Amino acid sequence: MNNSFTLAGVMGWPVTHSRSPLIHNHWIHQYKKNGAYGLFRVEPQHLESAIRGLSALGLAGCNITIPHKVSAMAYVDWVHPLANRIGAINTIVVQADGACHGFNNDGYGYIQSLLEAQPDWQADAGPIVMLGAGGAARAIAVSLLDAGAKEIRIVNRTFSKAEEFAHEFGPAISPVKWEEREDALNNAALLINTTSQGMHGQPALDLSLTQLPQHALVSDVVYIPIETPLLIQARLRGHTTVNGLGMLLHQARPAFEAWFGVMPDVDQALYDKVIQTI
Ligand code: NAP
């Protein structure tokens, strides 16, 4: 019996689409770790016992994905303050005493993906326009605020959710009606799509970029396809673009570090491997 074997995985329902095993097993191999990362199909009614069982089974922890990111918070012993503000966890790290600690690295992953595309990117470079007010938007908005963003215009189809954002996260957030999304692009430094529009099987995001300044960075959290119609439009106008794959890959890094003891790099070989599955 080798006690240094480290086991982790991802809990979701359904979960077969997850790229996390590919990512973490790539790093396990790259960093010559003795361990494995698997898929755990966990129905919502079994989530609590699955999380409580992590420590008993000797797992280092797990990722949490759809639809469990919010409900899992109730079943861990401690939630990181950032994850508390986001209102969801995507990572559990089992502590030496068996306690389960919950984290959310989605916003970290998003910001790292921007820095990868533009190393001198700064959160306070100018107004940020974010389309969508769902789970991904919450993680990204909180991280942008912590990074120093001064103004985030939240444009959402259901306006009341954008208003709730402003109420919850303070005066740096301004809610914008969906019909006013193109005017909101005026003098923006960063545009982010966090809606599912543009995803494979969904209509393209209905947005003309005419009013967006030429220097603005354009990003999309959707990564199937890698280059969404929004990113194609932006690239053709000369904007620097950031696809959703970087967020997916970078959010995995702090979890790998917590479980396996090495902060892994996101290299081209990993990008290529994941792109082959899309
Ligand atoms: P969510 O919580 O369900 O939020 C969906 C958002 O999209 C809401 O703001 C919703 O507006 C908006 N929306 C949906 N249909 C729309 C339409 N027809 N027109 C305009 N807006 C529409 O979902 P989520 O978890 O935030 O995920 C959103 C996207 O991010 C998904 O495509 C997901 O795959 C992607 N994602 C990527 C990563 C990554 O690592 N790259 C991580 C997480 C999520 P309403 O409020 O009006 O319904």
Side-chain angles (χ1 to χ4, degrees), residues 132-136 156-158 161 178 194-195 197 199 221 244 247-248:
N156 199 48
R157 178 181 61 176
T158 309
K161 284 201 209 160
W178 189 249
T194 75
T195 77
Q197 298 294 276
M199 193 164 77
V221 300
M247 174 176 173
L248 178 75

Side-chain angles (χ1 to χ4, degrees), residues 11-231:
M11 291 185 190
W13 180 262
V15 75
T16 40
H17 66 280
S18 172
R19 268 95 187 160
S20 292
L22 187 72
I23 297 167
H24 287 279
N25 286 317
H26 172 88
W27 286 330
I28 288 170
H29 180 73
Q30 181 178 351
Y31 294 99
K32 299 185 171 46
K33 292 293 173 184
N34 186 20
Y37 183 103
L39 283 176
F40 300 114
R41 296 169 73 241
V42 178
E43 291 183 54
Q45 69 269 30
H46 296 140
L47 183 64
E48 179 172 7
S49 41
I51 290 175
R52 305 269 185 228
L54 286 171
S55 162
L57 289 167
L59 270 77
C62 69
N63 285 124
I64 299 290
T65 189
I66 290 167
H68 302 318
K69 285 186 177 187
V70 175
S71 47
M73 289 179 80
Y75 307 131
V76 293
D77 303 294
W78 177 83
V79 176
H80 190 279
L82 176 76
N84 253 326
R85 284 161 63 215
I86 293 169
I89 58 173
N90 77 341
T91 302
I92 294 175
V93 179
V94 179
Q95 307 298 301
D97 65 358
C100 286
H101 289 188
F103 301 86
N104 192 315
N105 301 319
D106 280 338
Y108 167 86
Y110 175 74
I111 287 186
Q112 291 300 307
S113 76
L114 292 186
L115 290 169
E116 192 176 73
Q118 193 172 295
D120 63 350
W121 173 81
Q122 297 206 325
D124 60 356
I128 296 170
V129 177
M130 184 149 76
L131 303 171
R138 289 181 68 89
I140 291 171
V142 169
S143 299
L144 288 171
L145 290 172
D146 285 0
K150 299 276 186 291
E151 181 185 354
I152 307 179
R153 301 169 185 161
I154 305 278
V155 187
N156 199 48
R157 178 181 61 176
T158 309
F159 182 59
S160 58
K161 284 201 209 160
E163 288 181 309
E164 283 164 25
F165 245 73
H167 182 70
E168 191 171 347
F169 297 122
I173 305 278
S174 22
V176 177
K177 296 204 165 91
W178 189 249
E179 307 78 59
E180 291 159 15
R181 61 195 180 281
E182 286 169 4
D183 289 339
L185 300 177
N186 257 307
N187 76 353
L190 171 64
L191 168 65
I192 316 163
N193 174 45
T194 75
T195 77
S196 47
Q197 298 294 276
M199 193 164 77
H200 179 72
Q202 298 277 339
L205 183 70
D206 179 14
L207 182 75
S208 160
L209 300 182
T210 314
Q211 298 190 58
L212 188 68
Q214 203 68 46
H215 64 264
L217 200 55
V218 178
S219 74
D220 203 324
V221 300
V222 170
Y223 59 89
I224 304 174
I226 300 286
E227 192 178 42
T228 59
L230 170 69
L231 294 186

